[in-house]
Amino acid sequence: MKLIIQTLLILFYSSSFLYSGESGDLPGEELKKPEEMFDEKPTEKEGLDVSNIIELLKPKNTEVVLPKNRLEKIFNQFFLAELNRDQLNIIGECENNLAEGKCYKVEPNKLSNHFNNYYFYTNSQNQVYSIIAFNNKRQGDLNKCKEKISLWKDYFNSYDLIEKEPKDNSLNFVLTDAPQKNSIEIFASCYNEQFRDISSSFSIKFFKNV
């Protein structure tokens, strides 16, 4: 009798293990049939707009363009200011441009080896309104003068100046900062010139409009 009861108990526990469910299932969880799982259609999610992706990937120009300064000073002298006698050595007088003005031959502390003469012109208020720097020595090689023209043009590129009546000419140029108030005009030339008391083979002229 005891053996029969033990046999019945063994059969009872064996049947409970066979129907206990697979590992990882939670009690009460409803399992779907395989055909029901595949019947469901995936919901469409809103896609990412990539229409402008090419534009976004283009390299950006991060170059900062700094404003340029006006040219207000050259050869230790401010335009429309009295002659800077602390920085200029006056070595004589030259022919004036205005009836009530004067012209001074000077030697600036800050000069260029491209020139051997510096004429500073003043108006009736003793303000320097024009400067002419020139070399009166005869030059035999125009290529050297072209190099000087190129160097000065590069120098003036640092200032708020534009080329006036641009021409494809490596022997001269004309620059201005017009239409600004009291605009300046700059003329550089490799041509031989003679006017008033000036004889030049290479010159740069500055005129401040008042």
Side-chain angles (χ1 to χ4, degrees):
M1 185 67 179
K2 188 177 180 180
L3 181 62
I4 295 173
I5 294 172
Q6 288 179 347
T7 304
L8 290 173
L9 287 173
I10 292 171
L11 290 173
F12 173 78
Y13 283 115
S14 298
S15 62
S16 63
F17 282 118
L18 288 172
Y19 295 102
S20 63
E22 295 181 5
S23 174
D25 294 340
L26 294 176
E29 184 179 16
E30 184 180 350
L31 298 177
K32 295 181 180 180
K33 295 180 181 179
E35 58 269 18
E36 291 177 348
M37 294 177 63
F38 290 104
D39 279 346
E40 279 192 4
K41 294 183 179 180
T43 57
E44 293 185 3
K45 295 183 179 180
E46 185 177 351
L48 179 65
D49 183 10
V50 294
S51 58
N52 62 341
I53 192 70
I54 296 177
E55 189 67 27
L56 292 173
L57 293 175
K58 284 183 179 178
K60 298 294 186 290
N61 183 8
T62 57
E63 182 180 355
V64 178
V65 179
L66 298 175
K68 294 182 179 181
N69 296 324
R70 292 190 70 182
L71 179 65
E72 297 180 343
K73 179 183 179 183
I74 196 76
F75 304 128
N76 300 117
Q77 177 63 47
F78 281 96
F79 292 102
L80 298 184
E82 291 189 4
L83 205 64
N84 185 0
R85 297 176 184 270
D86 293 333
Q87 298 292 323
L88 302 171
N89 180 28
I90 299 175
I91 57 179
E93 291 193 6
C94 38
E95 187 177 337
N96 60 325
N97 226 355
L98 301 176
E100 298 179 356
K102 290 185 177 181
C103 177
Y104 297 94
K105 294 181 181 180
V106 303
E107 186 179 66
N109 288 347
K110 189 175 182 179
L111 46 76
S112 167
N113 58 11
H114 292 167
F115 312 107
N116 58 6
N117 286 278
Y118 300 83
Y119 285 11
F120 285 39
Y121 297 85
T122 60
N123 56 21
S124 56
Q125 286 81 41
N126 294 321
Q127 298 172 328
V128 176
Y129 72 94
S130 179
I131 296 174
I132 299 179
F134 64 97
N135 193 320
N136 60 6
K137 293 182 179 179
R138 186 177 179 180
Q139 57 183 6
D141 189 353
L142 277 180
N143 288 323
K144 290 183 178 180
C145 195
K146 288 179 181 179
E147 292 177 5
K148 295 177 186 177
I149 286 283
S150 179
L151 288 172
W152 280 99
K153 202 168 186 180
D154 287 342
Y155 171 78
F156 290 128
N157 280 337
S158 301
Y159 294 94
D160 184 14
L161 296 163
I162 58 173
E163 193 163 3
K164 191 175 182 180
E165 300 177 2
K167 295 178 181 178
D168 186 16
N169 192 334
S170 57
L171 293 176
N172 67 353
F173 62 78
V174 182
L175 304 175
T176 181
D177 65 359
Q180 297 195 52
K181 186 179 179 181
N182 301 130
S183 60
I184 193 171
E185 293 194 354
I186 304 169
F187 303 83
S189 174
C190 281
Y191 297 110
N192 291 324
E193 298 175 293
Q194 287 188 343
F195 54 97
R196 294 194 307 275
D197 56 342
I198 294 175
S199 176
S200 170
S201 62
F202 174 58
S203 65
I204 291 185
K205 311 176 188 72
F206 305 83
F207 294 99
K208 191 75 170 176
N209 296 311
V210 294

